[in-house]
Amino acid sequence: MDERPPDDEEESYQSSSKKRKESKVDHTYSDYSQHQITADAAEEEASQGRGRQPTFPAKLHEIVSNPEYRHIIGWMPHGRSWIIVNKDLLIKYVLPTHFTSNKFESFNRQVNGWGFKRFHGEGPDHRSYYHELFLRGRPDLTSMMTRLINPGKRLPDIANEPDLYYISRMYPLSPGPSVSIKGLPRVDTGFYASQ
């Protein structure tokens, strides 16, 4: 006996099972650069983390902060977003070294699943990704990041993208390595002068 719905119901049956939630990206930005992780929270996180692998954001922070990779992936000059400079080198050298899958699609799903947002508007941050808890010099904040549950498809909202350069003037981050992007002047942070 056929369990399928009658023909007139089949179309609605198929479309309802394949519908995905769509919404615009929420670009509300709260600054966490001055947020202090309490000793109790840090101790609890350390005790829960014993024997566990680092989370995706913790691994990604380590990769983005590594000056050896800055020709592949790195921080934007303000330290509040990061960019993939060379996708092919990322796939060939970085992903197999740090993750179980070396497929870019899997990496991108992780990026989206952890709530990173991408800049689509023209400007200095075009194509870079940000998360308010993912800041240069603050790997401790990644412990506060949570994986999104079924985020659905997030549509770009260019008009409401935050100005991270303006926010960084108000709340500057510690200097560190940043990438040099064609058309965007390299900002010397003085990081290497102290090395």
Side-chain angles (χ1 to χ4, degrees), residues 180-195:
S180 180
I181 309 289
K182 187 177 180 179
L184 180 67
R186 170 95 165 92
V187 176
D188 185 9
T189 60
F191 178 77
Y192 295 103
S194 63
Q195 298 276 320

Side-chain angles (χ1 to χ4, degrees), residues 15-27:
S15 64
S16 66
S17 66
K18 292 183 181 181
K19 280 190 178 179
R20 293 193 63 186
K21 185 172 72 173
E22 287 188 359
S23 61
K24 282 193 170 186
V25 173
D26 177 11
H27 287 293

Side-chain angles (χ1 to χ4, degrees), residues 71-106:
H71 63 291
I72 301 171
I73 186 171
W75 294 107
M76 294 301 287
H78 49 66
R80 293 173 185 277
S81 69
W82 55 275
I83 193 165
I84 298 168
V85 179
N86 190 316
K87 181 179 169 183
D88 294 333
L89 292 179
L90 180 79
I91 294 167
K92 187 172 182 177
Y93 297 109
V94 179
L95 298 184
T97 304
H98 297 278
F99 301 105
T100 54
S101 174
N102 61 350
K103 293 184 177 173
F104 183 77
E105 293 76 15
S106 176

Side-chain angles (χ1 to χ4, degrees), residues 137-187:
R138 294 296 312 270
D140 56 318
L141 293 177
T142 63
S143 67
M144 295 172 53
M145 293 176 71
T146 57
R147 191 155 171 74
L148 302 178
I149 298 175
N150 193 17
K153 183 172 176 77
R154 297 184 296 169
L155 303 172
D157 185 11
I158 295 169
N160 291 309
E161 291 178 349
D163 181 348
L164 299 181
Y165 288 89
Y166 175 76
I167 294 168
S168 291
R169 284 192 294 275
M170 294 179 6
Y171 307 103
L173 297 173
S174 63
S178 61
V179 297
S180 180
I181 309 289
K182 187 177 180 179
L184 180 67
R186 170 95 165 92
V187 176

